[in-house]
Each structure stands twice: as structure tokens, then as C-alpha cells.
Amino acid sequence: MLTLGPQGIRFCSQSGDEQFEVPTIAREVFDVSGAGDTVAAAFALSLAAGADHATAVAIANRAASVVVGKFGTATVTPEEIFQDADVPRLVPRAALASLATTLRAQGKRIVSVVGSFDILHNGHVHLLNEARTTGDVLIVGLRSDTSLRSSKGPERPHVPEQQRAEMLLALLLPKGSET
């Protein structure tokens, strides 16, 4: 696992067969002291508790986002890590099954939409707003740049995957909140 500062966390399993990146959870940063230690500790604790790699990285990422929002070296509690669980965020594909299981156990109705969202338009906004009203949790699947190139040609996408994800997050945030 490699912390990338404001770019998030990169994970590669020992065998190399599992690799992914998780972007940071944007929030106001006061002090980055101890953020890397927090990531390592939260990741190790999550694995010890039985979490898979994707879930452990997601928890470590959330823990770091809490710690950097505090002054000086600080601790983080489980409540702080999970208090914003309903805030829109990027979740790696590998963590979706675990997340869905957790949400269903909480009695949440999950709605999902998948698309490229390459050049957002009013139809996308309408689709997402309607989908959001039909359940408790909306999961938006975003097609990768590679997937778009393979189906729509080498000139696609017009907007890179990371930027499309950031626009979707901004669009889905409740009014007056920040991730």
C-alpha cells in the first residue's frame, strides 16, 4: 500500500494480482502529521478484523481524511470514520459487494445506474435525480476510459474517468455539503 498524499492510496497485493487506487476523500486539510501512520494502522486493524483489501483501504482512506482535518497529530474513532457514511464517495469496484452487503444488512434499498457520463447533460441529471428518489442508496457505476475506447473508438472519452467521477460526486452531493 502506498499513500499518495492528495492523490489517495495505491494498493498492490503481494502477488500483484490485485491492484487499485482510491482517491482521497476531499475535506479541509489542517495538518497531515500522522496521516500515513493512521492509514497503516487502520488498514492493519481492518485486515485483522476480517475485511478484504478493498474495504481495508477504504476504511484507512476515511480514517486519514478525518485525521488531516484535525490540528497536530491526532487519533480517530470508529464513529468519526463512519459518521459520514451516507456522503457520496468513490468506492473501488472490488469493495462494492462488501458495501452492498453492509447496506442491505442495514435495511437500505440500493438503486444502481451505470453509464459513461462522458460530457454530462440534462438527461444524465434527470436520470440520476430520478434514480435517487427510488431507493435509499444510489450506486453509480462509471465506465472506465478503456471500456469507452473499446466500444466507442480511440477518440473517446472526451472527459477522462477521474474528472467524470469528480463531476458525478459534485452533482450528487446534497445541497450545502462537502465530501
Side-chain angles (χ1 to χ4, degrees):
M1 183 172 54
L2 177 63
T3 58
L4 305 171
Q7 282 73 47
I9 298 173
R10 175 139 181 75
F11 177 83
C12 178
S13 64
Q14 188 172 4
S15 64
D17 61 341
E18 185 180 9
Q19 298 181 33
F20 57 88
E21 287 187 17
V22 177
T24 58
I25 299 169
R27 69 171 49 222
E28 192 169 359
V29 175
F30 290 107
D31 193 337
V32 297
S33 299
D37 293 335
T38 299
V39 167
F43 179 76
L45 184 59
S46 298
L47 287 180
D52 59 29
H53 292 140
T55 302
V57 169
I59 290 169
N61 192 30
R62 291 187 63 77
S65 77
V66 171
V67 166
V68 299
K70 298 179 179 184
F71 289 104
T73 54
T75 61
V76 59
T77 66
E79 292 78 23
E80 289 174 309
I81 294 171
F82 297 110
Q83 74 182 2
D84 292 335
D86 291 333
V87 171
R89 63 188 181 281
L90 297 177
V91 178
R93 185 178 195 171
L96 283 177
S98 174
L99 175 61
T101 299
T102 300
L103 292 169
R104 286 188 190 105
Q106 295 171 353
K108 304 272 184 179
R109 184 170 181 215
I110 301 169
V111 177
S112 63
V113 174
V114 178
S116 62
F117 303 99
D118 190 23
I119 304 185
L120 281 170
H121 55 73
N122 191 47
H124 292 132
V125 174
H126 179 74
L127 169 73
L128 293 167
N129 283 331
E130 288 297 312
R132 198 167 25 181
T133 66
T134 63
D136 302 311
V137 177
L138 175 61
I139 295 177
V140 179
L142 181 62
R143 290 184 59 199
S144 70
D145 291 348
T146 303
S147 171
L148 283 176
R149 275 191 287 280
S150 71
S151 66
K152 297 189 179 212
E155 71 285 352
R156 296 295 292 274
H158 297 294
V159 179
E161 182 178 343
Q162 182 64 35
Q163 290 177 13
R164 290 182 285 130
E166 290 170 3
M167 288 188 290
L168 286 168
L169 281 173
L171 185 64
L172 294 171
L173 278 172
K175 299 283 188 244
S177 65
E178 297 179 29
T179 55

